[in-house]
Amino acid sequence: MPASREEFPQPSGGPRAPATSAHLSCPSCGSAHVAQMLGDNGGVSYVCTACGHSWS
């Protein structure tokens, strides 16, 4: 059985940002606040959490 997150202490220093590809930014607004998501057909898509723009 996989270990739970409670078994491993998390480093202090505030909330952690979601993992994104290096130097990935929104083509619409230029923000670095980009989340990776699974597309409808199983492909990878991205969504900007600042402006809502999505692309693949």
Side-chain angles (χ1 to χ4, degrees):
M1 176 183 279
S4 69
R5 297 183 85 188
E6 287 77 29
E7 293 181 43
F8 299 99
Q10 297 294 318
S12 60
R16 293 162 42 124
T20 59
S21 298
H23 308 289
L24 186 63
S25 62
C26 176
S28 181
C29 73
S31 172
H33 295 269
V34 175
Q36 185 178 4
M37 61 184 191
L38 188 60
D40 291 337
N41 62 358
V44 175
S45 297
Y46 303 95
V47 63
C48 176
T49 58
C51 75
H53 178 76
S54 61
W55 70 99
S56 54

